[in-house]
Amino acid sequence: MISGKTKLIAHLGYPTESFRAPMIYNPYFEKHDIDAVVVPMGCKAEDYAEFLRLVFRLSNIHGALITMPHKVTTMGLLDDAMTTARVAGSCNAIRMDPDGRLIGDMFDGEGFVRGALRKGAVLEGAKVLVVGAGGVGSAIAASLAAAGVRELSVFDNNAQTMNGLADRLRTHYPELIVNAGSKDPDGHDVVVNATPLGMNAGDPLPMDVDRIAPATFVGEVVMKQEITPFLAAVREKGCRFQVGTDMLFEQIPAYLEFFGFRTTTPEELRDVARIAY
């Protein structure tokens, strides 16, 4: 039941048809009698800056989940941001502090790292390639740097986006070896597709699978289907891999902690989730 005391968490993005988070959070809240609800709110880019401030003027707002296309734009609308969000240059969670200031953080990368470690990937000292330097790719790169990887290569078709991420990584992690400009996966311990490639039928693969070694750990961010063409190809090679929704389930405990709710495990979230495609 939604009552006058229910805490609202706005799920802001556009379009909303692909949103999966409400089908995970809300059953979890229901199970544990947490009087909160995640509400999808479709907001176009041109309306977002004004709408975000209005949302946080609601007396019963508790926080906001931010998704495409607003993760990067949000950074310029915050009063303060956590280090991971600063390195990523994007934000996917906002809360208001007691002084009314908007505080942002980024958990896409935290979810990826937690999932990879749970599956046995070795990140400390690893050589990693992240293809795609947008909101999610930048977040994954930021969290991989925090996890202690030795060398991090980033690639994006947008040179400005790619080089901006590389510069932020070098600034915040001066001991990290940072490369930019190549998406050749050869010689990497971990490779990640952080592009939208795989969302639509006929998309090219994000990198040359023939150059990926069977011992490489592979990550995917596309959630439209569990096994994307990219994952199907690396599975044929015998690679261990992480599907897109793994990142989502792994990051939600971190979100819950950020919003001050009781935390949980990915296993419980999978058990209560009511995801429909």
Side-chain angles (χ1 to χ4, degrees), residues 20-57:
R20 301 285 180 263
M23 294 179 275
I24 305 173
Y25 283 93
N26 293 334
Y28 174 75
F29 290 154
E30 181 181 356
K31 176 182 177 181
H32 293 285
D33 295 320
I34 297 171
D35 197 3
V37 62
V38 172
V39 182
M41 297 184 181
C43 182
K44 294 183 179 179
E46 59 267 29
D47 302 317
Y48 179 64
E50 181 179 7
F51 186 70
L52 181 66
R53 286 290 177 180
L54 289 173
V55 163
F56 275 93
R57 290 178 65 179

PDB file of all heavy atoms in Angstrom, residues 20-57:
ATOM      1  N   ARG A  20      13.870  -1.537 -15.195  1.00  0.00           N
ATOM      2  CA  ARG A  20      13.753  -2.797 -14.481  1.00  0.00           C
ATOM      3  C   ARG A  20      13.777  -2.586 -12.955  1.00  0.00           C
ATOM      4  O   ARG A  20      13.266  -3.416 -12.210  1.00  0.00           O
ATOM      5  CB  ARG A  20      14.903  -3.741 -14.864  1.00  0.00           C
ATOM      6  CG  ARG A  20      14.964  -4.074 -16.354  1.00  0.00           C
ATOM      7  CD  ARG A  20      13.881  -5.046 -16.761  1.00  0.00           C
ATOM      8  NE  ARG A  20      13.952  -5.340 -18.185  1.00  0.00           N
ATOM      9  CZ  ARG A  20      13.218  -4.749 -19.118  1.00  0.00           C
ATOM     10  NH1 ARG A  20      12.345  -3.806 -18.766  1.00  0.00           N
ATOM     11  NH2 ARG A  20      13.325  -5.071 -20.384  1.00  0.00           N
ATOM     12  N   ALA A  21      14.382  -1.507 -12.497  1.00  0.00           N
ATOM     13  CA  ALA A  21      14.577  -1.299 -11.065  1.00  0.00           C
ATOM     14  C   ALA A  21      13.291  -1.361 -10.251  1.00  0.00           C
ATOM     15  O   ALA A  21      13.289  -1.977  -9.169  1.00  0.00           O
ATOM     16  CB  ALA A  21      15.301   0.027 -10.820  1.00  0.00           C
ATOM     17  N   PRO A  22      12.169  -0.762 -10.689  1.00  0.00           N
ATOM     18  CA  PRO A  22      10.958  -0.842  -9.858  1.00  0.00           C
ATOM     19  C   PRO A  22      10.503  -2.276  -9.602  1.00  0.00           C
ATOM     20  O   PRO A  22       9.898  -2.559  -8.556  1.00  0.00           O
ATOM     21  CB  PRO A  22       9.911  -0.079 -10.687  1.00  0.00           C
ATOM     22  CG  PRO A  22      10.710   0.864 -11.526  1.00  0.00           C
ATOM     23  CD  PRO A  22      11.963   0.110 -11.871  1.00  0.00           C
ATOM     24  N   MET A  23      10.801  -3.180 -10.526  1.00  0.00           N
ATOM     25  CA  MET A  23      10.384  -4.569 -10.375  1.00  0.00           C
ATOM     26  C   MET A  23      11.285  -5.348  -9.428  1.00  0.00           C
ATOM     27  O   MET A  23      11.045  -6.518  -9.130  1.00  0.00           O
ATOM     28  CB  MET A  23      10.336  -5.243 -11.750  1.00  0.00           C
ATOM     29  CG  MET A  23       9.251  -4.671 -12.660  1.00  0.00           C
ATOM     30  SD  MET A  23       9.215  -5.450 -14.296  1.00  0.00           S
ATOM     31  CE  MET A  23      10.467  -4.487 -15.161  1.00  0.00           C
ATOM     32  N   ILE A  24      12.340  -4.685  -8.940  1.00  0.00           N
ATOM     33  CA  ILE A  24      13.230  -5.296  -7.950  1.00  0.00           C
ATOM     34  C   ILE A  24      13.049  -4.612  -6.597  1.00  0.00           C
ATOM     35  O   ILE A  24      12.815  -5.259  -5.581  1.00  0.00           O
ATOM     36  CB  ILE A  24      14.704  -5.203  -8.398  1.00  0.00           C
ATOM     37  CG1 ILE A  24      14.878  -5.832  -9.786  1.00  0.00           C
ATOM     38  CG2 ILE A  24      15.611  -5.876  -7.374  1.00  0.00           C
ATOM     39  CD1 ILE A  24      16.266  -5.632 -10.363  1.00  0.00           C
ATOM     40  N   TYR A  25      13.158  -3.287  -6.582  1.00  0.00           N
ATOM     41  CA  TYR A  25      13.034  -2.546  -5.328  1.00  0.00           C
ATOM     42  C   TYR A  25      11.669  -2.741  -4.676  1.00  0.00           C
ATOM     43  O   TYR A  25      11.583  -3.021  -3.467  1.00  0.00           O
ATOM     44  CB  TYR A  25      13.218  -1.042  -5.567  1.00  0.00           C
ATOM     45  CG  TYR A  25      14.635  -0.583  -5.760  1.00  0.00           C
ATOM     46  CD1 TYR A  25      15.183  -0.490  -7.034  1.00  0.00           C
ATOM     47  CD2 TYR A  25      15.420  -0.208  -4.681  1.00  0.00           C
ATOM     48  CE1 TYR A  25      16.476  -0.033  -7.223  1.00  0.00           C
ATOM     49  CE2 TYR A  25      16.725   0.241  -4.858  1.00  0.00           C
ATOM     50  CZ  TYR A  25      17.235   0.327  -6.126  1.00  0.00           C
ATOM     51  OH  TYR A  25      18.518   0.765  -6.308  1.00  0.00           O
ATOM     52  N   ASN A  26      10.606  -2.545  -5.435  1.00  0.00           N
ATOM     53  CA  ASN A  26       9.276  -2.522  -4.820  1.00  0.00           C
ATOM     54  C   ASN A  26       8.867  -3.861  -4.202  1.00  0.00           C
ATOM     55  O   ASN A  26       8.316  -3.889  -3.092  1.00  0.00           O
ATOM     56  CB  ASN A  26       8.244  -2.004  -5.814  1.00  0.00           C
ATOM     57  CG  ASN A  26       8.471  -0.534  -6.145  1.00  0.00           C
ATOM     58  OD1 ASN A  26       9.036   0.204  -5.336  1.00  0.00           O
ATOM     59  ND2 ASN A  26       8.052  -0.104  -7.326  1.00  0.00           N
ATOM     60  N   PRO A  27       9.125  -5.012  -4.846  1.00  0.00           N
ATOM     61  CA  PRO A  27       8.854  -6.280  -4.158  1.00  0.00           C
ATOM     62  C   PRO A  27       9.704  -6.459  -2.893  1.00  0.00           C
ATOM     63  O   PRO A  27       9.239  -7.037  -1.907  1.00  0.00           O
ATOM     64  CB  PRO A  27       9.210  -7.334  -5.215  1.00  0.00           C
ATOM     65  CG  PRO A  27       9.045  -6.642  -6.516  1.00  0.00           C
ATOM     66  CD  PRO A  27       9.491  -5.230  -6.257  1.00  0.00           C
ATOM     67  N   TYR A  28      10.939  -5.957  -2.931  1.00  0.00           N
ATOM     68  CA  TYR A  28      11.803  -6.028  -1.746  1.00  0.00           C
ATOM     69  C   TYR A  28      11.231  -5.178  -0.613  1.00  0.00           C
ATOM     70  O   TYR A  28      11.160  -5.614   0.543  1.00  0.00           O
ATOM     71  CB  TYR A  28      13.214  -5.568  -2.108  1.00  0.00           C
ATOM     72  CG  TYR A  28      14.134  -5.465  -0.920  1.00  0.00           C
ATOM     73  CD1 TYR A  28      14.658  -6.611  -0.323  1.00  0.00           C
ATOM     74  CD2 TYR A  28      14.484  -4.220  -0.396  1.00  0.00           C
ATOM     75  CE1 TYR A  28      15.501  -6.518   0.776  1.00  0.00           C
ATOM     76  CE2 TYR A  28      15.321  -4.122   0.697  1.00  0.00           C
ATOM     77  CZ  TYR A  28      15.825  -5.273   1.286  1.00  0.00           C
ATOM     78  OH  TYR A  28      16.650  -5.169   2.378  1.00  0.00           O
ATOM     79  N   PHE A  29      10.820  -3.944  -0.928  1.00  0.00           N
ATOM     80  CA  PHE A  29      10.210  -3.082   0.086  1.00  0.00           C
ATOM     81  C   PHE A  29       8.956  -3.738   0.662  1.00  0.00           C
ATOM     82  O   PHE A  29       8.715  -3.703   1.868  1.00  0.00           O
ATOM     83  CB  PHE A  29       9.844  -1.728  -0.523  1.00  0.00           C
ATOM     84  CG  PHE A  29      11.022  -0.851  -0.879  1.00  0.00           C
ATOM     85  CD1 PHE A  29      10.913   0.106  -1.891  1.00  0.00           C
ATOM     86  CD2 PHE A  29      12.231  -0.966  -0.219  1.00  0.00           C
ATOM     87  CE1 PHE A  29      11.979   0.919  -2.220  1.00  0.00           C
ATOM     88  CE2 PHE A  29      13.314  -0.160  -0.542  1.00  0.00           C
ATOM     89  CZ  PHE A  29      13.185   0.788  -1.551  1.00  0.00           C
ATOM     90  N   GLU A  30       8.152  -4.336  -0.208  1.00  0.00           N
ATOM     91  CA  GLU A  30       6.920  -4.979   0.238  1.00  0.00           C
ATOM     92  C   GLU A  30       7.221  -6.137   1.196  1.00  0.00           C
ATOM     93  O   GLU A  30       6.573  -6.282   2.240  1.00  0.00           O
ATOM     94  CB  GLU A  30       6.135  -5.482  -0.966  1.00  0.00           C
ATOM     95  CG  GLU A  30       4.818  -6.153  -0.628  1.00  0.00           C
ATOM     96  CD  GLU A  30       4.097  -6.662  -1.867  1.00  0.00           C
ATOM     97  OE1 GLU A  30       4.582  -6.423  -2.989  1.00  0.00           O
ATOM     98  OE2 GLU A  30       3.041  -7.296  -1.696  1.00  0.00           O
ATOM     99  N   LYS A  31       8.210  -6.945   0.854  1.00  0.00           N
ATOM    100  CA  LYS A  31       8.556  -8.107   1.676  1.00  0.00           C
ATOM    101  C   LYS A  31       8.949  -7.697   3.094  1.00  0.00           C
ATOM    102  O   LYS A  31       8.606  -8.375   4.072  1.00  0.00           O
ATOM    103  CB  LYS A  31       9.699  -8.885   1.020  1.00  0.00           C
ATOM    104  CG  LYS A  31      10.188 -10.062   1.857  1.00  0.00           C
ATOM    105  CD  LYS A  31      11.358 -10.783   1.185  1.00  0.00           C
ATOM    106  CE  LYS A  31      11.884 -11.914   2.092  1.00  0.00           C
ATOM    107  NZ  LYS A  31      13.032 -12.624   1.469  1.00  0.00           N
ATOM    108  N   HIS A  32       9.660  -6.580   3.216  1.00  0.00           N
ATOM    109  CA  HIS A  32      10.194  -6.178   4.515  1.00  0.00           C
ATOM    110  C   HIS A  32       9.408  -5.025   5.152  1.00  0.00           C
ATOM    111  O   HIS A  32       9.894  -4.406   6.103  1.00  0.00           O
ATOM    112  CB  HIS A  32      11.675  -5.801   4.373  1.00  0.00           C
ATOM    113  CG  HIS A  32      12.547  -6.967   4.036  1.00  0.00           C
ATOM    114  ND1 HIS A  32      12.898  -7.923   4.966  1.00  0.00           N
ATOM    115  CD2 HIS A  32      13.113  -7.361   2.861  1.00  0.00           C
ATOM    116  CE1 HIS A  32      13.670  -8.833   4.390  1.00  0.00           C
ATOM    117  NE2 HIS A  32      13.806  -8.528   3.112  1.00  0.00           N
ATOM    118  N   ASP A  33       8.205  -4.759   4.649  1.00  0.00           N
ATOM    119  CA  ASP A  33       7.351  -3.703   5.203  1.00  0.00           C
ATOM    120  C   ASP A  33       8.065  -2.363   5.289  1.00  0.00           C
ATOM    121  O   ASP A  33       7.917  -1.614   6.270  1.00  0.00           O
ATOM    122  CB  ASP A  33       6.839  -4.108   6.597  1.00  0.00           C
ATOM    123  CG  ASP A  33       5.922  -5.334   6.549  1.00  0.00           C
ATOM    124  OD1 ASP A  33       5.106  -5.417   5.611  1.00  0.00           O
ATOM    125  OD2 ASP A  33       6.032  -6.192   7.441  1.00  0.00           O
ATOM    126  N   ILE A  34       8.847  -2.063   4.267  1.00  0.00           N
ATOM    127  CA  ILE A  34       9.502  -0.756   4.164  1.00  0.00           C
ATOM    128  C   ILE A  34       8.550   0.179   3.421  1.00  0.00           C
ATOM    129  O   ILE A  34       8.143  -0.115   2.289  1.00  0.00           O
ATOM    130  CB  ILE A  34      10.843  -0.867   3.416  1.00  0.00           C
ATOM    131  CG1 ILE A  34      11.806  -1.771   4.199  1.00  0.00           C
ATOM    132  CG2 ILE A  34      11.464   0.509   3.199  1.00  0.00           C
ATOM    133  CD1 ILE A  34      13.076  -2.129   3.444  1.00  0.00           C
ATOM    134  N   ASP A  35       8.161   1.266   4.070  1.00  0.00           N
ATOM    135  CA  ASP A  35       7.160   2.169   3.495  1.00  0.00           C
ATOM    136  C   ASP A  35       7.821   3.121   2.503  1.00  0.00           C
ATOM    137  O   ASP A  35       8.027   4.315   2.775  1.00  0.00           O
ATOM    138  CB  ASP A  35       6.447   2.946   4.602  1.00  0.00           C
ATOM    139  CG  ASP A  35       5.134   3.569   4.112  1.00  0.00           C
ATOM    140  OD1 ASP A  35       4.770   3.346   2.932  1.00  0.00           O
ATOM    141  OD2 ASP A  35       4.489   4.275   4.914  1.00  0.00           O
ATOM    142  N   ALA A  36       8.204   2.570   1.357  1.00  0.00           N
ATOM    143  CA  ALA A  36       8.858   3.341   0.298  1.00  0.00           C
ATOM    144  C   ALA A  36       8.459   2.733  -1.036  1.00  0.00           C
ATOM    145  O   ALA A  36       8.073   1.560  -1.112  1.00  0.00           O
ATOM    146  CB  ALA A  36      10.374   3.322   0.461  1.00  0.00           C
ATOM    147  N   VAL A  37       8.564   3.513  -2.102  1.00  0.00           N
ATOM    148  CA  VAL A  37       8.209   3.025  -3.424  1.00  0.00           C
ATOM    149  C   VAL A  37       9.059   3.734  -4.478  1.00  0.00           C
ATOM    150  O   VAL A  37       9.344   4.925  -4.365  1.00  0.00           O
ATOM    151  CB  VAL A  37       6.699   3.249  -3.722  1.00  0.00           C
ATOM    152  CG1 VAL A  37       6.345   4.728  -3.702  1.00  0.00           C
ATOM    153  CG2 VAL A  37       6.291   2.598  -5.031  1.00  0.00           C
ATOM    154  N   VAL A  38       9.521   2.957  -5.456  1.00  0.00           N
ATOM    155  CA  VAL A  38      10.240   3.508  -6.603  1.00  0.00           C
ATOM    156  C   VAL A  38       9.218   3.768  -7.706  1.00  0.00           C
ATOM    157  O   VAL A  38       8.497   2.861  -8.121  1.00  0.00           O
ATOM    158  CB  VAL A  38      11.335   2.540  -7.094  1.00  0.00           C
ATOM    159  CG1 VAL A  38      11.949   3.041  -8.405  1.00  0.00           C
ATOM    160  CG2 VAL A  38      12.410   2.387  -6.037  1.00  0.00           C
ATOM    161  N   VAL A  39       9.181   5.019  -8.185  1.00  0.00           N
ATOM    162  CA  VAL A  39       8.182   5.431  -9.166  1.00  0.00           C
ATOM    163  C   VAL A  39       8.871   5.876 -10.453  1.00  0.00           C
ATOM    164  O   VAL A  39       9.627   6.854 -10.446  1.00  0.00           O
ATOM    165  CB  VAL A  39       7.318   6.592  -8.635  1.00  0.00           C
ATOM    166  CG1 VAL A  39       6.244   6.971  -9.651  1.00  0.00           C
ATOM    167  CG2 VAL A  39       6.686   6.230  -7.297  1.00  0.00           C
ATOM    168  N   PRO A  40       8.651   5.170 -11.576  1.00  0.00           N
ATOM    169  CA  PRO A  40       9.223   5.620 -12.847  1.00  0.00           C
ATOM    170  C   PRO A  40       8.641   6.975 -13.245  1.00  0.00           C
ATOM    171  O   PRO A  40       7.425   7.187 -13.168  1.00  0.00           O
ATOM    172  CB  PRO A  40       8.791   4.543 -13.851  1.00  0.00           C
ATOM    173  CG  PRO A  40       8.448   3.361 -13.015  1.00  0.00           C
ATOM    174  CD  PRO A  40       7.907   3.909 -11.731  1.00  0.00           C
ATOM    175  N   MET A  41       9.495   7.890 -13.653  1.00  0.00           N
ATOM    176  CA  MET A  41       9.068   9.217 -14.095  1.00  0.00           C
ATOM    177  C   MET A  41       9.787   9.536 -15.393  1.00  0.00           C
ATOM    178  O   MET A  41      10.998   9.750 -15.406  1.00  0.00           O
ATOM    179  CB  MET A  41       9.379  10.278 -13.031  1.00  0.00           C
ATOM    180  CG  MET A  41       8.638  10.081 -11.716  1.00  0.00           C
ATOM    181  SD  MET A  41       8.965  11.422 -10.536  1.00  0.00           S
ATOM    182  CE  MET A  41       7.982  10.858  -9.131  1.00  0.00           C
ATOM    183  N   GLY A  42       9.047   9.554 -16.487  1.00  0.00           N
ATOM    184  CA  GLY A  42       9.643   9.824 -17.787  1.00  0.00           C
ATOM    185  C   GLY A  42       9.867  11.311 -17.973  1.00  0.00           C
ATOM    186  O   GLY A  42       8.922  12.093 -18.021  1.00  0.00           O
ATOM    187  N   CYS A  43      11.121  11.697 -18.060  1.00  0.00           N
ATOM    188  CA  CYS A  43      11.473  13.112 -18.186  1.00  0.00           C
ATOM    189  C   CYS A  43      12.454  13.280 -19.338  1.00  0.00           C
ATOM    190  O   CYS A  43      13.538  12.698 -19.331  1.00  0.00           O
ATOM    191  CB  CYS A  43      12.094  13.616 -16.880  1.00  0.00           C
ATOM    192  SG  CYS A  43      12.532  15.359 -16.893  1.00  0.00           S
ATOM    193  N   LYS A  44      12.080  14.075 -20.329  1.00  0.00           N
ATOM    194  CA  LYS A  44      12.953  14.316 -21.475  1.00  0.00           C
ATOM    195  C   LYS A  44      14.103  15.241 -21.088  1.00  0.00           C
ATOM    196  O   LYS A  44      14.020  16.008 -20.126  1.00  0.00           O
ATOM    197  CB  LYS A  44      12.139  14.912 -22.622  1.00  0.00           C
ATOM    198  CG  LYS A  44      11.100  13.957 -23.187  1.00  0.00           C
ATOM    199  CD  LYS A  44      10.367  14.571 -24.375  1.00  0.00           C
ATOM    200  CE  LYS A  44       9.342  13.603 -24.954  1.00  0.00           C
ATOM    201  NZ  LYS A  44       8.602  14.185 -26.097  1.00  0.00           N
ATOM    202  N   ALA A  45      15.163  15.160 -21.873  1.00  0.00           N
ATOM    203  CA  ALA A  45      16.387  15.889 -21.548  1.00  0.00           C
ATOM    204  C   ALA A  45      16.159  17.388 -21.406  1.00  0.00           C
ATOM    205  O   ALA A  45      16.712  18.025 -20.502  1.00  0.00           O
ATOM    206  CB  ALA A  45      17.442  15.614 -22.622  1.00  0.00           C
ATOM    207  N   GLU A  46      15.324  17.953 -22.263  1.00  0.00           N
ATOM    208  CA  GLU A  46      15.136  19.404 -22.234  1.00  0.00           C
ATOM    209  C   GLU A  46      14.395  19.887 -20.990  1.00  0.00           C
ATOM    210  O   GLU A  46      14.440  21.068 -20.637  1.00  0.00           O
ATOM    211  CB  GLU A  46      14.410  19.877 -23.496  1.00  0.00           C
ATOM    212  CG  GLU A  46      13.043  19.253 -23.723  1.00  0.00           C
ATOM    213  CD  GLU A  46      13.083  18.020 -24.610  1.00  0.00           C
ATOM    214  OE1 GLU A  46      14.118  17.329 -24.616  1.00  0.00           O
ATOM    215  OE2 GLU A  46      12.067  17.767 -25.301  1.00  0.00           O
ATOM    216  N   ASP A  47      13.708  18.979 -20.305  1.00  0.00           N
ATOM    217  CA  ASP A  47      12.950  19.350 -19.108  1.00  0.00           C
ATOM    218  C   ASP A  47      13.650  18.961 -17.813  1.00  0.00           C
ATOM    219  O   ASP A  47      13.194  19.334 -16.723  1.00  0.00           O
ATOM    220  CB  ASP A  47      11.563  18.665 -19.124  1.00  0.00           C
ATOM    221  CG  ASP A  47      10.748  19.011 -20.351  1.00  0.00           C
ATOM    222  OD1 ASP A  47      10.733  20.202 -20.725  1.00  0.00           O
ATOM    223  OD2 ASP A  47      10.132  18.086 -20.926  1.00  0.00           O
ATOM    224  N   TYR A  48      14.733  18.243 -17.928  1.00  0.00           N
ATOM    225  CA  TYR A  48      15.296  17.562 -16.760  1.00  0.00           C
ATOM    226  C   TYR A  48      15.814  18.501 -15.672  1.00  0.00           C
ATOM    227  O   TYR A  48      15.517  18.311 -14.488  1.00  0.00           O
ATOM    228  CB  TYR A  48      16.406  16.610 -17.206  1.00  0.00           C
ATOM    229  CG  TYR A  48      17.072  15.884 -16.066  1.00  0.00           C
ATOM    230  CD1 TYR A  48      16.355  14.990 -15.275  1.00  0.00           C
ATOM    231  CD2 TYR A  48      18.423  16.103 -15.761  1.00  0.00           C
ATOM    232  CE1 TYR A  48      16.967  14.320 -14.219  1.00  0.00           C
ATOM    233  CE2 TYR A  48      19.034  15.433 -14.709  1.00  0.00           C
ATOM    234  CZ  TYR A  48      18.296  14.553 -13.948  1.00  0.00           C
ATOM    235  OH  TYR A  48      18.894  13.901 -12.902  1.00  0.00           O
ATOM    236  N   ALA A  49      16.596  19.495 -16.032  1.00  0.00           N
ATOM    237  CA  ALA A  49      17.206  20.365 -15.015  1.00  0.00           C
ATOM    238  C   ALA A  49      16.145  21.019 -14.135  1.00  0.00           C
ATOM    239  O   ALA A  49      16.262  21.030 -12.899  1.00  0.00           O
ATOM    240  CB  ALA A  49      18.078  21.419 -15.685  1.00  0.00           C
ATOM    241  N   GLU A  50      15.118  21.536 -14.749  1.00  0.00           N
ATOM    242  CA  GLU A  50      14.049  22.182 -13.984  1.00  0.00           C
ATOM    243  C   GLU A  50      13.258  21.159 -13.169  1.00  0.00           C
ATOM    244  O   GLU A  50      12.932  21.389 -11.998  1.00  0.00           O
ATOM    245  CB  GLU A  50      13.107  22.927 -14.933  1.00  0.00           C
ATOM    246  CG  GLU A  50      11.980  23.661 -14.228  1.00  0.00           C
ATOM    247  CD  GLU A  50      11.074  24.409 -15.201  1.00  0.00           C
ATOM    248  OE1 GLU A  50      11.258  24.245 -16.437  1.00  0.00           O
ATOM    249  OE2 GLU A  50      10.183  25.139 -14.731  1.00  0.00           O
ATOM    250  N   PHE A  51      12.973  20.007 -13.782  1.00  0.00           N
ATOM    251  CA  PHE A  51      12.155  18.999 -13.117  1.00  0.00           C
ATOM    252  C   PHE A  51      12.858  18.405 -11.901  1.00  0.00           C
ATOM    253  O   PHE A  51      12.234  18.143 -10.867  1.00  0.00           O
ATOM    254  CB  PHE A  51      11.784  17.891 -14.107  1.00  0.00           C
ATOM    255  CG  PHE A  51      10.824  16.877 -13.559  1.00  0.00           C
ATOM    256  CD1 PHE A  51       9.504  17.205 -13.310  1.00  0.00           C
ATOM    257  CD2 PHE A  51      11.248  15.580 -13.277  1.00  0.00           C
ATOM    258  CE1 PHE A  51       8.615  16.270 -12.796  1.00  0.00           C
ATOM    259  CE2 PHE A  51      10.365  14.639 -12.768  1.00  0.00           C
ATOM    260  CZ  PHE A  51       9.041  14.987 -12.530  1.00  0.00           C
ATOM    261  N   LEU A  52      14.178  18.190 -12.004  1.00  0.00           N
ATOM    262  CA  LEU A  52      14.913  17.595 -10.889  1.00  0.00           C
ATOM    263  C   LEU A  52      14.774  18.438  -9.633  1.00  0.00           C
ATOM    264  O   LEU A  52      14.515  17.925  -8.536  1.00  0.00           O
ATOM    265  CB  LEU A  52      16.389  17.422 -11.256  1.00  0.00           C
ATOM    266  CG  LEU A  52      17.253  16.781 -10.164  1.00  0.00           C
ATOM    267  CD1 LEU A  52      16.847  15.345  -9.911  1.00  0.00           C
ATOM    268  CD2 LEU A  52      18.739  16.863 -10.529  1.00  0.00           C
ATOM    269  N   ARG A  53      14.951  19.733  -9.748  1.00  0.00           N
ATOM    270  CA  ARG A  53      14.829  20.615  -8.589  1.00  0.00           C
ATOM    271  C   ARG A  53      13.409  20.589  -8.027  1.00  0.00           C
ATOM    272  O   ARG A  53      13.208  20.623  -6.810  1.00  0.00           O
ATOM    273  CB  ARG A  53      15.227  22.039  -8.972  1.00  0.00           C
ATOM    274  CG  ARG A  53      16.729  22.221  -9.151  1.00  0.00           C
ATOM    275  CD  ARG A  53      17.464  22.127  -7.823  1.00  0.00           C
ATOM    276  NE  ARG A  53      18.919  22.234  -7.989  1.00  0.00           N
ATOM    277  CZ  ARG A  53      19.782  22.175  -6.988  1.00  0.00           C
ATOM    278  NH1 ARG A  53      19.339  22.001  -5.744  1.00  0.00           N
ATOM    279  NH2 ARG A  53      21.074  22.261  -7.196  1.00  0.00           N
ATOM    280  N   LEU A  54      12.412  20.535  -8.899  1.00  0.00           N
ATOM    281  CA  LEU A  54      11.027  20.490  -8.436  1.00  0.00           C
ATOM    282  C   LEU A  54      10.736  19.195  -7.684  1.00  0.00           C
ATOM    283  O   LEU A  54      10.043  19.198  -6.662  1.00  0.00           O
ATOM    284  CB  LEU A  54      10.071  20.640  -9.624  1.00  0.00           C
ATOM    285  CG  LEU A  54       9.998  22.029 -10.267  1.00  0.00           C
ATOM    286  CD1 LEU A  54       9.139  21.983 -11.522  1.00  0.00           C
ATOM    287  CD2 LEU A  54       9.448  23.049  -9.283  1.00  0.00           C
ATOM    288  N   VAL A  55      11.256  18.075  -8.192  1.00  0.00           N
ATOM    289  CA  VAL A  55      11.042  16.790  -7.532  1.00  0.00           C
ATOM    290  C   VAL A  55      11.550  16.836  -6.093  1.00  0.00           C
ATOM    291  O   VAL A  55      10.893  16.355  -5.165  1.00  0.00           O
ATOM    292  CB  VAL A  55      11.732  15.647  -8.310  1.00  0.00           C
ATOM    293  CG1 VAL A  55      11.891  14.400  -7.438  1.00  0.00           C
ATOM    294  CG2 VAL A  55      10.931  15.295  -9.546  1.00  0.00           C
ATOM    295  N   PHE A  56      12.709  17.452  -5.888  1.00  0.00           N
ATOM    296  CA  PHE A  56      13.279  17.488  -4.550  1.00  0.00           C
ATOM    297  C   PHE A  56      12.685  18.580  -3.660  1.00  0.00           C
ATOM    298  O   PHE A  56      13.109  18.746  -2.517  1.00  0.00           O
ATOM    299  CB  PHE A  56      14.803  17.592  -4.616  1.00  0.00           C
ATOM    300  CG  PHE A  56      15.461  16.249  -4.764  1.00  0.00           C
ATOM    301  CD1 PHE A  56      15.770  15.743  -6.019  1.00  0.00           C
ATOM    302  CD2 PHE A  56      15.734  15.468  -3.660  1.00  0.00           C
ATOM    303  CE1 PHE A  56      16.355  14.495  -6.152  1.00  0.00           C
ATOM    304  CE2 PHE A  56      16.319  14.222  -3.782  1.00  0.00           C
ATOM    305  CZ  PHE A  56      16.623  13.727  -5.031  1.00  0.00           C
ATOM    306  N   ARG A  57      11.663  19.255  -4.156  1.00  0.00           N
ATOM    307  CA  ARG A  57      10.883  20.156  -3.307  1.00  0.00           C
ATOM    308  C   ARG A  57       9.662  19.447  -2.716  1.00  0.00           C
ATOM    309  O   ARG A  57       8.973  19.990  -1.865  1.00  0.00           O
ATOM    310  CB  ARG A  57      10.448  21.388  -4.113  1.00  0.00           C
ATOM    311  CG  ARG A  57      11.629  22.307  -4.464  1.00  0.00           C
ATOM    312  CD  ARG A  57      11.222  23.490  -5.301  1.00  0.00           C
ATOM    313  NE  ARG A  57      10.329  24.397  -4.579  1.00  0.00           N
ATOM    314  CZ  ARG A  57       9.841  25.525  -5.103  1.00  0.00           C
ATOM    315  NH1 ARG A  57      10.147  25.851  -6.352  1.00  0.00           N
ATOM    316  NH2 ARG A  57       9.038  26.298  -4.402  1.00  0.00           N
TER     317      ARG A  57
END
